[in-house]
Amino acid sequence: MKAADFDYFAPSDLPEALRVLASRPGETRVMAGGQSLLPLLKARLARPSVVVDLRLVPGLDGIEQASGSLRLGAMVSQSRVLESELVTTHAPLLARAVRKIGSPAIRNRGTVGGSAAHADPAAEIPAALVALEAAIVATGPAGAREIPAGRFYRYAYETELAPDEIVTGLRVPGAGNGHSTGASFYEVAIPNHNFALAGAAVRATLQAGSLQDVRIALCALGPTPLRAREAEILAEGRPPSSDVLERVARTAATVAEPVDDVLASATYRRSLAPVVVRRALLEAVAEARSRQAGLG
Amino acid sequence: MSRVHEISITVNGVRASGVVSSRSTLADHLRQDLGLTGTHVGCDEGVCGACTVLLDGEPVRSCLVLAVQADGHRVTTVEGLAPGTSGLHPLQEAFRTAHGLQCGFCTPGMLMSAAALIERHPDPDGDLIREAMSGNLCRCTGYQQIVEAIRLAAALVREATALPGGGDGS
């Protein structure tokens, strides 16, 4: 279908964008890359009277590493994330997650901030942000604040963002023990570039042969990314044997709350849950091992 | 803040000005306003890839870009591939000889995605080709000949740039 008519505005700075948001509350949508918003507009699932495009707002496309955190501007494209050595070095889980998004043409326009803010239950970036305990930077008339990813996602397409706020960036804390940490984003999608049916964002550190600071977040298995804390605690201090990983994966799967939808049944998704976690754990542990070995 | 916008886009090297509504996509504008119907609209929601064009040299879904967003930018469509009024781009030649198309509906999108791939990776292997082309769907060919066509095209381009006076500056 074609979108219903709307006023389009591309402000040249952030205060202007915030002013428009504040002046037409409830009928304004903010556009970043448009790869999620435009399909919504075209299906007429959203009918804003105003669309505010951030493409001309300066200062939203930086990637910087400082004081142990990686900061990405909201308008950084997903393609740039894949090409960024800073991201590959300091937040490899984020890069792995982005690699599973759509296809090259989508990633050329899609942005990290847009995906984070859109809060699609099947989106990869939100799940990675939850696993990484990252923060979403939200800017409103009163200034900028950080919202922890674990708190940011309230429900499908619903976040903690206030109506007069715009997501302007992400902050990802670094892994303390980077040299013995592995990351994996494992997802089942049919075909490959379609929406995830089930996914897992996993990071694992090996310390003296034991699992440490394991992070597990489920993707597409509920209305928001789901952190599997019980499974993480179960893994802590244990050796990464196949028995342990199997138990951890099955425990993680218990937090899944899948629903039936046009892509897959809840039953099928529930059966995928332990599989995606286990495979992600195996990949993450394998990477942690090889990074450790690389140092010796 | 408006529902209509005056825009100017450089399409295949030529400046094209027009007036578009906010909701008009780049695909709509190319096809309906500029008469460039080579760009095809398949799903109109960004999953099939038939509408792929190059925006500032990068492949994008023209159905998921608003015309107004392309204002001031460069767009290359399938009509802009061939070097002149006669003759084919190596990709078009390769798709022809390797049977990389049947009905032709997905083909413009395939060509544009492939053009961007070969520009970046002059000697892509099968895995890289499949990864780069993963967003372009085809209902006719089963993809094998498309991959072969792209491999062949990459070889043709490498040959052409290696010939003396063939673009290597001598």
Side-chain angles (χ1 to χ4, degrees):
Chain A
M1 281 210 294
K2 300 296 180 182
D5 228 348
F6 53 85
D7 284 328
Y8 169 92
F9 181 46
S12 31
D13 59 47
L14 199 56
E16 233 185 324
L18 292 170
R19 262 197 306 277
V20 175
L21 246 194
S23 71
R24 310 269 284 266
E27 31 175 294
T28 305
R29 292 293 295 242
V30 176
M31 167 132 60
Q35 305 300 278
S36 294
L37 182 62
L38 281 169
L40 227 52
L41 295 181
K42 291 160 81 160
R44 301 201 178 187
L45 293 170
R47 296 184 68 142
S49 48
V50 184
V51 171
V52 175
D53 190 338
L54 298 178
R55 67 186 169 93
L56 299 177
V57 174
L60 295 181
D61 61 357
I63 305 178
E64 287 139 12
Q65 167 73 14
S67 324
S69 283
L70 183 70
R71 288 178 179 276
L72 298 109
M75 292 298 280
V76 169
S77 76
Q78 291 151 7
S79 288
R80 267 189 65 218
V81 165
L82 293 181
E83 289 161 7
S84 163
E85 230 189 282
L86 279 179
V87 178
T88 320
T89 310
H90 297 286
L93 178 55
L94 183 61
R96 304 272 153 79
V98 170
R99 202 182 292 161
K100 306 302 290 183
I101 296 175
S103 55
I106 297 283
R107 295 192 295 262
N108 284 338
R109 297 291 290 176
T111 65
V112 293
S115 177
H118 186 67
D120 189 307
E124 291 84 354
I125 287 176
L129 295 178
V130 166
L132 289 167
E133 292 182 353
I136 285 89
V137 180
T139 306
R145 63 177 177 128
E146 281 194 8
I147 310 170
R151 208 165 42 79
F152 186 71
Y153 294 100
R154 285 213 293 235
Y155 197 67
Y157 311 104
E158 230 181 85
T159 68
E160 279 286 320
L161 205 63
D164 60 358
E165 280 179 324
I166 293 175
V167 172
T168 48
L170 306 172
R171 186 179 63 76
V172 183
N177 227 349
H179 56 265
S180 44
T181 299
S184 168
F185 194 101
Y186 192 92
E187 145 181 327
V188 172
I190 303 162
N192 203 23
H193 65 277
N194 204 356
F195 287 100
L197 303 180
V202 168
R203 199 179 77 184
T205 303
L206 287 178
Q207 175 76 339
S210 300
L211 291 163
Q212 197 189 65
D213 193 23
V214 174
R215 309 282 183 87
I216 302 171
L218 304 185
C219 168
L221 289 163
T224 68
L226 298 168
R227 185 88 184 266
R229 275 303 287 152
E230 206 191 312
E232 293 175 356
I233 291 165
L234 180 66
E236 187 75 22
R238 288 198 154 79
S241 67
S242 54
D243 281 347
V244 166
L245 296 185
E246 177 63 38
R247 268 182 74 198
V248 171
R250 275 191 274 114
T251 306
T254 62
V255 310
E257 316 163 0
V259 294
D260 292 318
D261 74 8
V262 66
L263 289 177
S265 68
T267 310
Y268 181 57
R269 290 179 194 260
R270 199 171 284 112
S271 74
L272 288 177
V275 176
V276 295
V277 176
R278 188 182 66 241
R279 291 186 185 179
L281 279 168
L282 283 167
E283 275 180 20
V285 165
E287 185 181 37
R289 277 206 179 103
S290 74
R291 292 185 82 173
Q292 266 191 333
L295 285 182
Chain B
M1 172 94 62
S2 175
R3 297 199 163 187
V4 280
H5 310 270
E6 276 180 33
I7 63 169
S8 185
I9 308 176
T10 302
V11 184
N12 301 327
V14 177
R15 220 52 205 290
S17 303
V19 177
V20 296
S21 62
S22 301
R23 61 180 174 153
S24 195
T25 64
L26 178 58
D28 294 339
H29 178 60
L30 289 168
R31 291 175 52 80
Q32 292 162 21
D33 302 333
L34 302 181
L36 295 169
T37 53
T39 301
H40 295 165
V41 177
C43 68
D44 213 2
E45 56 180 58
V47 298
C48 77
C51 71
T52 306
V53 300
L54 302 185
L55 181 60
D56 297 331
E58 286 190 332
V60 298
R61 308 292 210 218
S62 61
C63 75
L64 293 189
V65 174
L66 294 174
V68 64
Q69 290 179 305
D71 182 28
H73 291 269
R74 280 184 303 120
V75 171
T76 313
T77 69
V78 68
E79 289 94 341
L81 271 189
T85 47
S86 64
L88 297 174
H89 186 279
L91 269 169
Q92 292 167 317
E93 189 56 53
F95 266 65
R96 193 180 67 84
T97 54
H99 300 291
L101 71 158
Q102 291 180 28
C103 81
F105 197 79
C106 74
T107 309
M110 292 287 178
L111 291 171
M112 300 320 291
S113 291
L117 167 66
I118 292 177
E119 173 80 34
R120 267 199 173 202
H121 300 275
D123 193 4
D125 65 16
D127 283 345
L128 186 59
I129 293 173
R130 286 187 182 84
E131 165 70 42
M133 301 299 294
S134 63
N136 290 83
L137 302 182
C138 174
R139 298 294 281 136
C140 296
T141 64
Y143 301 104
Q144 253 164 260
Q145 287 109 295
I146 291 175
V147 174
E148 283 318 303
I150 294 170
R151 220 197 291 264
L152 174 59
L156 290 174
V157 170
R158 286 196 309 275
E159 269 174 43
T161 47
L163 287 171
D168 64 349
S170 67

